[in-house]
Amino acid sequence: MKKLKRFIIYLRLWFIRQMGYNLPSLREATFIVPGQLYDHFGRVVRAVPSKMPATDNGDCKEQEEVPEHCLQCDLYNKHIPCSFNHRMANGNDICKNHHFEIICLNSGNI
């Protein structure tokens, strides 16, 4: 099942590239849509639901200790900056119930 999902994502990327579209930049997005593919520092990323919801420990940038929900995020684990708008369309923080997954390098600049 996981291989099928990965195949569908790569098929979407191929189709986007063939149509000449560009992925929206995660840093410039007005709000984040879970499951949407974004370009972020030369990588294709998307927000996926977290296995465990985040506890209210505050923001990643304001604490000395790293919150548990940041430890699940590929951006944190690969040392990629995540200083951007973390809000969804409904006003909730995306990091509360989701984490970011790096799909692949964006070598074709789509």
Side-chain angles (χ1 to χ4, degrees):
M1 186 66 170
K2 192 168 189 151
K3 287 185 180 184
L4 179 62
K5 287 182 182 180
R6 185 67 62 177
F7 176 75
I8 291 171
I9 290 172
Y10 285 123
L11 187 62
R12 281 177 62 192
L13 288 171
W14 176 83
F15 187 69
I16 289 169
R17 183 175 295 163
Q18 293 300 316
M19 296 301 293
Y21 296 126
N22 290 328
L23 292 175
S25 172
L26 186 62
R27 292 168 282 162
E28 297 173 1
T30 54
F31 56 87
I32 309 300
V33 178
Q36 172 75 34
L37 298 174
Y38 292 97
D39 175 56
H40 189 60
F41 290 108
R43 291 167 176 80
V44 177
V45 299
R46 70 179 181 146
V48 294
S50 295
K51 293 181 175 109
M52 64 177 144
T55 57
D56 250 354
N57 290 343
D59 198 56
C60 291
K61 298 175 280 299
E62 296 175 358
Q63 287 189 337
E64 297 287 315
E65 296 179 19
V66 178
E68 289 181 33
H69 62 273
C70 287
L71 297 175
Q72 295 181 33
C73 185
D74 282 352
L75 299 180
Y76 175 78
N77 292 329
K78 299 287 184 181
H79 307 290
I80 299 171
C82 69
S83 58
F84 53 88
N85 182 9
H86 285 87
R87 298 282 172 204
M88 294 190 294
N90 62 5
N92 292 341
D93 187 3
I94 190 78
C95 293
K96 186 170 184 172
N97 295 318
H98 296 79
H99 66 276
F100 286 95
E101 172 186 60
I102 297 175
I103 305 298
C104 61
L105 290 176
N106 191 1
S107 58
N109 289 331
I110 58 171

